[in-house]
Amino acid sequence: MSIIGTPVKRKEDPRLLTGNGKFTDDIKLPGMLHAAFLRSPFAHAKIKGIDVEKARQLPGVAAVYTAADLHGKVKPVPTMWYVPGADLKAKDRSPLAGEKVLYAGEAVAVVIAEDRYIARDALDLIEVDYEELPAVTHQEKALEDGAPQLHDDVPRNLALLWKAGDIPDEVFEQAEVVVRQRLYNQRVIPNPMETRAAVAQYNPGGGEMTIWCTSQNPHIHRMIYADVLGIPESKLRIVAPDVGGGFGAKIATYTEEAVVAHAARDLQRPVKWVEERREHFMATTHARDEVIEVELAGTRDGIFTAIRVKNTANLGAYLSTFGAGCPTIDFGLMVPGAYQIPHIGQAMSGSCKTWWSDWS
């Protein structure tokens, strides 16, 4: 009997449908503290100063961290997908913004307190002196000369250029029919019922760390966070409880989970963080946001002979864990669909506020 084509009865449904699932926010540990992140209201700004003393003095606050407090203790979070053949200029993401913020919602400080309400109140006591800078949100405008520059060592905000195949113009000039169209695949926000969350517990005796988090990708999370936190993989355990939806957003690794884990290690008490819905819209990875120009050549009786695609993709201020692969290799594999097309030309490129993909 083959498993292929055989119905498999789902076993997890009764537990979840009757409210007996266990999610990250359901985890309650003795002595647990709670984290809240202060986020930038600006898409692009210098941080001229940050004063956290009033927040630190609020009763119930255990600690307040800024980028300076984490320097040398928590490494930047890297991207993981280095696309072969692409001149990739990946920028690792600092756990908290230090000198500049590069997107609206980037975390600049974190409060650790006895409960989430005190932590949230303490955020209002932190004073940040911002110098707002020009921002750009459209990928094509970000590539223009004179556009606001996010990273000094990434000229024109161009983070990668990837090409797969070239098609001579003669193929299109000799085709019986050529259709050209410019499409916009709008930005989408993965919006699960459960926002991101993490609980970290550190055992100082054995140097072991356990992180419960809303992960679709626990093995990759362990590999990355072990490096970011300076913990051997053998001493880091990632637990993914029931996940209330992910839609790809919980595949990536983020800075917040690493910061929460550092706080648990530093304070030697468990720490929990649960993302607010507004935070989710601002700070969790988005998808799509691609300007796609397509040329399709064929015969009058409906046979496709060539396709050439240029995809200019917005990948944000930093590459997410697998950000470089989504508008390049992943997108490229979908271009022909179910059709056999003799000539396929594809190229992709990206920039930091904008990641540009050019298939030509």
Side-chain angles (χ1 to χ4, degrees):
M1 180 179 177
S2 173
I3 192 66
I4 305 299
T6 303
V8 178
K9 186 175 182 180
R10 292 169 58 94
K11 297 181 178 180
E12 68 271 27
D13 291 352
R15 174 172 55 82
L16 295 171
L17 292 172
T18 56
N20 291 303
K22 185 164 186 175
F23 301 88
T24 302
D25 194 29
D26 292 324
I27 296 170
K28 296 177 175 60
L29 302 176
M32 189 165 64
L33 298 166
H34 296 263
F37 287 87
L38 181 67
R39 301 186 180 276
S40 168
F42 301 110
H44 192 198
K46 290 182 180 179
I47 300 176
K48 300 177 67 176
I50 181 166
D51 185 351
V52 301
E53 290 309 311
K54 292 180 182 177
R56 283 178 172 152
Q57 293 171 12
L58 184 69
V61 169
V64 180
Y65 300 103
T66 65
D69 300 310
L70 301 184
H71 183 70
K73 300 174 182 177
V74 183
K75 293 181 183 178
V77 175
T79 187
M80 290 297 295
W81 196 338
Y82 282 77
V83 178
D87 182 15
L88 180 62
K89 298 177 178 65
K91 305 299 296 183
D92 294 345
R93 187 166 16 165
S94 297
L96 295 171
E99 297 179 358
K100 284 207 309 183
V101 293
L102 301 184
Y103 62 93
E106 185 168 10
V108 300
V110 60
V111 173
I112 313 297
E114 294 294 336
D115 64 46
R116 64 183 62 185
Y117 306 104
I118 295 174
R120 182 63 185 81
D121 288 344
L123 296 184
D124 295 333
L125 300 177
I126 299 175
E127 299 175 359
V128 184
D129 183 8
Y130 292 104
E131 179 186 334
E132 189 175 1
L133 300 172
V136 60
T137 58
H138 191 275
Q139 52 265 53
E140 291 176 315
K141 292 186 179 298
L143 292 165
E144 295 176 355
D145 292 337
Q149 182 78 26
L150 285 195
H151 300 284
D152 295 337
D153 54 350
V154 184
R156 294 182 55 241
N157 297 313
L158 181 62
L160 69 89
L161 174 61
W162 183 77
K163 293 186 178 182
D166 289 309
I167 303 176
D169 291 338
E170 291 78 8
V171 173
F172 288 88
E173 293 169 357
Q174 297 169 7
E176 295 178 354
V177 177
V178 177
V179 177
R180 296 180 175 86
Q181 190 165 359
R182 177 182 169 92
L183 307 168
Y184 177 59
N185 194 342
Q186 79 278 4
R187 176 181 296 221
V188 298
I189 301 177
N191 194 17
M193 292 178 66
E194 178 196 37
T195 57
R196 287 189 294 132
V199 176
Q201 185 176 42
Y202 182 68
N203 177 5
E208 298 144 337
M209 175 79 74
T210 300
I211 303 175
W212 294 263
C213 59
T214 53
S215 172
Q216 295 175 262
N217 203 11
H219 293 283
I220 296 297
H221 286 191
R222 183 178 68 168
M223 179 179 67
I224 293 178
Y225 292 141
D227 178 65
V228 168
L229 295 166
I231 299 174
E233 280 193 57
S234 60
K235 291 184 178 292
L236 177 59
R237 183 177 178 225
I238 302 292
V239 181
D242 292 326
V243 177
F247 311 116
K250 295 175 182 176
I251 296 176
T253 51
Y254 295 88
T255 57
E256 290 91 348
E257 289 87 341
V259 172
V260 167
H262 167 75
R265 178 173 58 185
D266 186 44
L267 300 172
Q268 298 192 13
R269 290 177 61 182
V271 179
K272 176 191 283 190
W273 167 68
V274 179
E275 183 182 53
E276 296 178 2
R277 183 62 60 182
R278 184 171 181 270
E279 286 183 288
H280 181 81
F281 290 150
M282 298 176 71
T284 299
T285 56
H286 297 175
R288 316 292 189 266
D289 200 351
E290 299 171 343
V291 177
I292 303 168
E293 298 177 34
V294 183
E295 292 180 280
L296 180 64
T299 65
R300 289 189 175 88
D301 56 358
I303 297 175
F304 299 152
T305 58
I307 187 170
R308 184 160 58 185
V309 181
K310 175 182 177 181
N311 179 8
T312 307
N314 187 342
L315 299 185
Y318 301 94
L319 278 174
S320 67
T321 309
F322 303 105
C326 295
T328 54
I329 294 173
D330 281 358
F331 175 83
L333 293 172
M334 301 177 190
V335 165
Y339 299 96
Q340 291 185 338
I341 304 176
H343 300 283
I344 299 178
Q346 306 158 344
M348 315 277 295
S349 62
S351 82
C352 286
K353 190 64 183 179
T354 297
W355 292 79
W356 180 57
S357 309
D358 168 23
W359 298 61
S360 55

